[in-house]
């Protein structure tokens, strides 16, 4: 699994790790049931603190993207909650993204075209 951290980003490193794993699940690079690296292994691989990766994994587990236990480690969940919709937090972030696009003069069609690349 390749995770690239941007140290100059305003996004916290644990959030960058979380986001890249979610993108990997979404675009098929990570399959349901696939074993993820250990917390220590991923921390060493990308050069960050073990607690940072642990925080990412805990967040992903809370959100239902990964399943983890002490014996088998972390895996991508086999089943995801269908039709659960966006969390309130995600909807809030989306609201700001849409607002920025609208202010910049982007049309709905242009915005939907960009969305279509990732859906």
């Amino acid at each position: 699994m390749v995770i690239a951290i941007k140290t100059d980003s305003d996004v916290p490193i644990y959030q960058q790790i979380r986001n890249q794993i979610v993108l990997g699940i979404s675009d098929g690079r990570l399959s349901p049931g696939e074993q993820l690296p250990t917390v220590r292994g991923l921390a060493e691989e990308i050069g960050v603190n073990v607690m940072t990766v642990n925080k990412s994994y805990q967040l992903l587990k809370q959100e239902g993207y990964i399943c983890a236990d002490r014996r088998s480690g972390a895996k991508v969940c086999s089943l995801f909650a269908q039709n659960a919709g966006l969390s309130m937090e995600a909807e809030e972030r989306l609201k700001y993204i849409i607002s920025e696009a609208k202010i910049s003069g982007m049309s709905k069609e242009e915005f939907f075209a960009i969305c279509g690349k990732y859906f």
Side-chain angles (χ1 to χ4, degrees):
M1 177 167 62
V2 177
I3 292 184
I5 299 302
K6 296 178 182 174
T7 55
D8 60 342
S9 174
D10 290 339
V11 178
I13 292 173
Y14 80 91
Q15 189 71 42
Q16 291 182 49
I17 295 168
R18 178 253 179 226
N19 292 347
Q20 289 190 37
I21 291 173
V22 171
L23 283 172
I25 294 168
S26 173
D27 67 17
R29 287 180 288 136
L30 292 171
S31 305
E34 185 172 336
Q35 186 77 41
L36 296 173
T38 63
V39 169
R40 179 170 279 119
L42 183 57
E44 288 175 8
E45 182 182 324
I46 60 177
V48 299
N49 187 292
V50 172
M51 294 307 292
T52 301
V53 176
N54 189 54
K55 188 172 183 176
S56 300
Y57 276 22
Q58 290 301 318
L59 184 57
L60 288 160
K61 185 177 176 182
Q62 258 183 317
E63 295 172 335
Y65 294 113
I66 67 171
C67 305
D69 66 50
R70 296 192 193 284
R71 288 174 288 147
S72 62
K75 295 180 181 179
V76 176
C77 285
S78 296
L79 298 172
F80 298 100
Q82 298 295 311
N83 299 323
L86 292 175
S87 67
M88 288 176 52
E89 216 175 277
E91 191 170 332
E92 188 72 15
R93 289 191 313 265
L94 184 57
K95 180 173 73 173
Y96 290 114
I97 292 168
I98 292 168
S99 297
E100 289 174 16
K102 189 175 175 181
I103 290 169
S104 74
M106 184 180 286
S107 70
K108 278 186 183 180
E109 293 75 21
E110 291 169 321
F111 185 80
F112 290 151
I114 291 171
C115 292
K117 290 193 312 190
Y118 302 103
F119 201 84

